[in-house]
Amino acid sequence: MEACDVASAPDVLKDKSGICLIFTDMNMLAKLDGADLVRFLQRHYQNTRVILMSGNIKKSCSAEMPFLK
């Protein structure tokens, strides 16, 4: 499944309890970014894991989320 942006992700995830892993970019051209998606998932889909990807690690590093280089 695919969502075109973070704002549309809740509609894609609705009634899809079997989703256990989401891949997303950290930096997006929209108002919301990958960190916002992670926060949403932590509130509503606690069992779903997320892999955040980015080509710009300096911009996308966040103290609240662990990352691998």
Side-chain angles (χ1 to χ4, degrees):
M1 287 172 271
E2 182 178 335
C4 62
D5 58 23
V6 174
S8 63
D11 291 333
V12 173
L13 294 169
K14 194 166 136 181
D15 302 323
K16 307 282 191 307
S17 61
I19 297 175
C20 59
L21 180 64
I22 293 176
F23 290 90
T24 187
D25 196 335
M26 182 65 182
N27 302 311
M28 298 182 199
L29 299 176
K31 185 176 181 179
L32 302 172
D33 63 14
D36 295 311
L37 177 59
V38 169
R39 287 184 202 98
F40 169 80
L41 293 167
Q42 287 173 332
R43 284 191 306 273
H44 302 285
Y45 296 88
Q46 294 87 12
N47 294 326
T48 303
R49 301 292 182 234
V50 180
I51 295 177
L52 288 164
M53 302 171 285
S54 178
N56 186 354
I57 194 70
K58 289 182 182 178
K59 182 178 179 184
S60 56
C61 288
S62 173
E64 64 189 271
M65 295 176 207
F67 67 94
L68 299 172
K69 283 192 199 180

